[in-house]
Amino acid sequence: MREPRGPGQTLFRFVRYWSRRWTGAGQAVDAERGRDVMVVEAVQAWRDRGGATVNDVADELGIDQSGASRFVAQAVQRGYLRKVASPRDGRQRRLAVTAAGADLVEAAHEWQETVFAELTADWSRSEVIQFHHLMERLIRPR
């Protein structure tokens, strides 16, 4: 008989399972589109600080600078981000989200809400609220 999983193992299994296998809501997950969403969200996280650099994106995503550079270049090429002069130093380039990038993230967030609603369709409202609250607690900075 197999030993029960601990909560940490279950959490990481949960993340791996749903991040790679979801094909609900009428469409399969497109890994490149998902990366574009993550990159645009990372840049949005820096918008109040004058825009993000590639290194800021790398830090936000927890990847190396060269990987972030490739992802940023793809997002720029696809029209989701643009490079702008830094407000503090005109020689430095920062990243800004374009209207297409904002639309991409908005559509992704709508899709995420649809997916969650489908996954929890047989849950009570209080279960959904409690699960949401507990997930927020897990990701809250300590």
Side-chain angles (χ1 to χ4, degrees):
M1 178 164 213
R2 187 176 174 175
E3 285 187 42
R5 288 183 176 89
Q9 292 173 50
T10 299
L11 172 66
F12 282 85
R13 183 171 172 248
F14 174 86
V15 170
R16 282 190 310 271
Y17 182 85
W18 289 114
S19 67
R20 294 187 183 128
R21 291 178 179 83
W22 181 256
T23 57
Q27 61 183 327
V29 173
D30 175 350
E32 286 195 23
R33 187 174 175 94
R35 279 192 294 276
D36 287 337
V37 170
M38 289 190 314
V39 169
V40 173
E41 286 177 326
V43 172
Q44 284 179 331
W46 284 81
R47 72 177 152 230
D48 293 337
R49 294 174 265 185
T53 65
V54 171
N55 286 334
D56 297 331
V57 171
D59 287 344
E60 283 289 322
L61 298 180
I63 61 176
D64 63 28
Q65 191 274 342
S66 65
S69 183
R70 283 192 309 277
F71 293 166
V72 164
Q74 285 179 329
V76 168
Q77 181 182 8
R78 293 176 178 150
Y80 301 134
L81 298 175
R82 62 186 164 83
K83 294 180 180 181
V84 297
S86 169
R88 294 184 199 105
D89 181 351
R91 297 168 296 176
Q92 186 183 46
R93 294 287 171 230
R94 297 280 178 159
L95 299 164
V97 177
T98 65
D103 290 346
L104 173 76
V105 169
E106 182 179 338
H109 291 172
E110 289 172 8
W111 178 80
Q112 291 165 354
E113 294 303 318
T114 299
V115 168
F116 187 80
E118 287 182 21
L119 291 172
T120 59
D122 61 342
W123 292 17
S124 70
R125 174 104 174 110
S126 64
E127 287 174 319
V128 169
I129 290 168
Q130 181 181 18
F131 188 63
H132 180 201
H133 171 73
L134 294 172
M135 287 188 297
E136 286 287 342
R137 258 179 75 188
L138 279 175
I139 63 172
R140 189 177 309 137
R142 298 179 189 255

